Amino acid sequence: MTPSGDFPGNWRPNTTSAVALFEQLRLRIIELADSGVLAVGAKLPPVRNLAGLLDVAPHTVARAYKELEAAGVVATRGRNGTVVCARDDRWGALAEVAGQYASAAKAQGASFAEAVQLLAAAYDAD
């Protein structure tokens, strides 16, 4: 957890929002990690504990953690829990996927502008 042990603090997902609960949690953790509130190596609460604190289903937290891990924001270390990764690690993973996308776009004959347009559309689709 954070040095003060207060994650998630007073924050709670907005149950009336059109944004899915797991997505709200995912975005909140990214925000806290990027701002340094959740330091590199900070241990996040176990799925069931955080679900209880936020009054959401464990699946909601598990999905947020899974997507954060896929994005390189956190790493799950089995019994040692889920920890925040260094931004450099996250950017490295994102850069790798971006390289794959750029290669695929070039192979399909897409211009840079077309590739960016497709990426922007995909980014805004959720």
Side-chain angles (χ1 to χ4, degrees):
M1 281 213 201
T2 60
S4 61
D6 60 356
F7 177 75
N10 293 329
W11 181 85
R12 298 293 179 266
N14 180 351
T15 57
T16 62
S17 172
V19 178
L21 298 177
F22 82 90
E23 180 68 5
Q24 291 178 48
L25 177 57
R26 185 186 74 81
L27 292 171
R28 178 65 176 164
I29 291 172
I30 290 171
E31 176 186 315
L32 294 173
D34 285 348
S35 70
V37 172
L38 285 175
V40 172
K43 188 173 177 182
L44 297 178
V47 168
R48 291 188 191 284
N49 291 6
L50 186 55
L53 287 170
L54 298 177
D55 196 27
V56 297
H59 175 75
T60 299
V61 177
R63 182 167 178 193
Y65 280 12
K66 181 179 179 182
E67 292 200 10
L68 289 164
E69 185 169 25
V73 176
V74 301
T76 301
R77 303 221 165 100
R79 298 186 95 171
N80 293 324
T82 302
V83 297
V84 176
C85 293
R87 185 174 179 92
D88 290 346
D89 294 341
R90 293 186 303 203
W91 282 104
L94 186 56
E96 182 179 336
V97 174
Q100 293 168 357
Y101 173 70
S103 294
K106 287 178 188 177
Q108 294 294 319
S111 69
F112 176 77
E114 290 168 330
V116 169
Q117 184 179 13
L118 288 169
L119 178 61
Y123 193 87
D124 292 336
D126 293 334

